[in-house]
Every structure is written in C-alpha cells, then in structure tokens.
C-alpha cells in the first residue's frame, strides 16, 4: 500500500527560483528516497536519506528528514527548465526491499 | 548507476490476447525484481516482488493468474498480462537493485483495444 503523501500536487516556478516539496509517511522507515520521473519515462534515483540522518545535500538538491513528524522535504535550488518532471518520495521499512511511493509532485519550470 | 532495460517500450494489443513484458538487469545480477503499475498522472503501485528461482509475491488485490511473473535467471524477469482487457491498459515499470537504491526500467506502455 502507498504510504507517502506529497504536497503540493503541482508546482509551477520560474527558472532560477527554488522549488520545495514535502512528503509525509505513516510507519517506521529504514530510509526515504526521492526519485524523478520525466513524462512517460522510468524513474531516476536522486537521493537517499537514512532514518538516522536529518539533512543531506547532492548538488542543487537538499533533503531533510524529520522522523518525529514522519515527513521529508526536497528542495531544488536555482531551478532549470530541465528540472521539469514529477518527483516522488519512496520509503521502505527496515529489512524490506519494497518501496512505497508517495503520490508525487509535478514541477514545471518556466523559462 | 546500474542499468535496467524493459522490452517492449510500447505495445498495443487486442482484448483477450496475452502480452509479455521483459525486464533485464544489464550489468548486475538481481535476485529480486519488482513490478509496478502506474496510471496516468498517478503514483507507482507495487504489483509484485519477483524472486529468482521461486514464486513471485503478489500485493493484496493483484490477481496472480492475471499477471504471471517468471524470474528464471538472475538478469531476467517477465510479466505476462493474460487475457488482457482495456482496463489493463497502463504503464508498467520494473526495478531491481539494492535495499537502498532501486534502478528502474524505462517502462512499458500497454494499450489494450
């Protein structure tokens, strides 16, 4: 079953602006991952944050995790047109390969 | 990262026919692969876990006789949609990898007329 919920569902920003999206989940997790999906394509792994981590950076991406609130955020800084895509959070429970995906946030970056 | 391929990328079939979708891990061995289904503008729904050399594990509500999964080797899993109907039209995606990183195939768009 899907346990991640994301908001907003859709986001439209100007190139150069930052994009922030949030993900909430319901059960204990081993780690939380963020993926990007371009229209009609497969998913690309962006970043993983473990349950004992609070913040992680990768290039223009910044992810935070608050296990007390069971939530995570993904920040994309200095957005580009190529960042236009859907972004999904996914969680897995301890010792479990299975991923449970959030509903996703569709980001449109306007040139 | 590792590469997972899917074949075909698109398939159109008539109602009542069966369609086979292949998922291959190209540069690593995968004892476990996953099959997902995605409706337009929706999230991925896990259908089943494909285990090399043993039966697949299906998620609740997924008909195992409808969606046949075979994982005959460490690099290949197949999903067969049997007696397909228009409601089976969807985007099917497979993945393989580690517990902390899954590599996804490019997906297969199935359209049943």
């Amino acid at each position: 079953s899907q346990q991640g919920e994301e908001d907003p569902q859709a986001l439209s920003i100007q190139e150069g602006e930052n994009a922030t999206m949030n993900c909430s989940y319901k059960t204990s997790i081993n780690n939380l991952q963020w993926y990007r999906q371009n229209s009609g394509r497969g998913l690309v792994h962006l970043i993983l944050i473990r349950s004992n981590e609070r913040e992680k950076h990768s290039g223009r991406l910044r992810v935070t995790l608050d296990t007390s609130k069971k939530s995570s955020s993904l920040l994309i800084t200095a957005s580009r047109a190529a960042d236009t895509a859907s972004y999904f959070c996914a969680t897995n429970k301890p010792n479990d390969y299975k991923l449970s995906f959030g509903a996703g946030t569709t980001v449109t970056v306007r040139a | 990262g590792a590469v997972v391929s899917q074949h075909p990328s698109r398939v159109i079939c008539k109602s009542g026919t069966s369609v086979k979708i292949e998922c291959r891990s190209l540069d690593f061995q995968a004892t476990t692969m996953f099959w997902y289904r995605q409706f337009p503008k929706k999230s991925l729904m896990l259908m089943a876990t494909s285990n090399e050399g043993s039966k697949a594990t299906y998620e609740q509500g997924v008909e195992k006789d409808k969606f046949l999964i075979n994982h005959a080797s460490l690099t290949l899993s197949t999903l067969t949609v049997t007696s397909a109907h228009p409601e089976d039209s969807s985007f099917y995606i497979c993945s393989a990898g580690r517990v902390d990183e899954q590599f996804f195939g490019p997906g297969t768009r199935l359209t049943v007329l």
Side-chain angles (χ1 to χ4, degrees), chain A residues 59-107:
Chain A
R60 293 183 295 111
L61 305 179
R62 173 177 168 255
V63 169
T64 63
L65 179 64
D66 187 336
T67 52
S68 66
K69 295 181 180 178
K70 292 187 168 57
S71 68
S72 173
S73 69
L74 171 66
L75 167 68
I76 304 172
T77 60
S79 64
R80 305 166 181 169
D83 295 328
T84 294
S86 292
Y87 293 83
F88 295 93
C89 68
T91 58
N92 68 316
K93 299 175 184 177
N95 301 313
D96 193 345
Y97 271 73
K98 293 195 298 185
L99 290 176
S100 184
F101 281 85
T105 295
T106 300
V107 175

Side-chain angles (χ1 to χ4, degrees), chain A residues 1-2 6 30-31 33 35 37 40-45 48 50 88 92-93 95-104, chain B residues 31-32 34 36 38 41-46 49 57 59 91 93 95 97-107 109:
Chain A
S1 61
Q2 303 294 324
E6 293 175 66
N30 185 44
N31 59 56
Q33 303 174 49
Y35 288 85
Q37 184 182 34
R41 302 289 191 92
L43 275 71
V44 174
H45 183 262
L48 176 148
R50 300 190 188 282
F88 295 93
N92 68 316
K93 299 175 184 177
N95 301 313
D96 193 345
Y97 271 73
K98 293 195 298 185
L99 290 176
S100 184
F101 281 85
Chain B
T31 55
T32 303
F34 298 93
Y36 297 85
Q38 185 179 31
K41 300 189 186 301
K42 296 292 184 182
S43 187
L44 280 73
M45 181 190 77
L46 179 65
T49 304
T57 305
E59 295 298 301
F91 193 55
I93 306 176
S95 75
R98 306 184 300 263
V99 69
D100 58 354
E101 186 173 4
Q102 289 285 307
F103 302 100
F104 286 80
R109 173 79 57 195

Side-chain angles (χ1 to χ4, degrees), chain B residues 7-45:
Chain B
H7 178 80
S9 58
R10 290 178 179 270
V11 57
I12 300 172
C13 69
K14 292 182 179 179
S15 189
T17 60
S18 294
V19 174
K20 181 185 283 189
I21 303 169
E22 293 186 346
C23 176
R24 292 181 185 274
S25 56
L26 297 185
D27 49 4
F28 67 102
Q29 294 183 329
T31 55
T32 303
M33 292 183 174
F34 298 93
W35 286 96
Y36 297 85
R37 182 174 181 176
Q38 185 179 31
F39 291 103
K41 300 189 186 301
K42 296 292 184 182
S43 187
L44 280 73
M45 181 190 77

Side-chain angles (χ1 to χ4, degrees), chain B residues 35-105:
Chain B
W35 286 96
Y36 297 85
R37 182 174 181 176
Q38 185 179 31
F39 291 103
K41 300 189 186 301
K42 296 292 184 182
S43 187
L44 280 73
M45 181 190 77
L46 179 65
M47 298 174 65
T49 304
S50 174
N51 304 298
E52 189 268 335
S54 65
K55 291 183 179 180
T57 305
Y58 291 82
E59 295 298 301
Q60 193 171 10
V62 178
E63 300 175 61
K64 61 180 180 181
D65 295 330
K66 174 75 172 175
F67 299 99
L68 299 179
I69 291 173
N70 185 282
H71 194 151
S73 77
L74 288 171
T75 58
L76 174 64
S77 175
T78 60
L79 169 68
T80 301
V81 183
T82 62
S83 186
H85 288 96
E87 57 265 29
D88 299 324
S89 297
S90 194
F91 193 55
Y92 293 88
I93 306 176
C94 69
S95 75
R98 306 184 300 263
V99 69
D100 58 354
E101 186 173 4
Q102 289 285 307
F103 302 100
F104 286 80

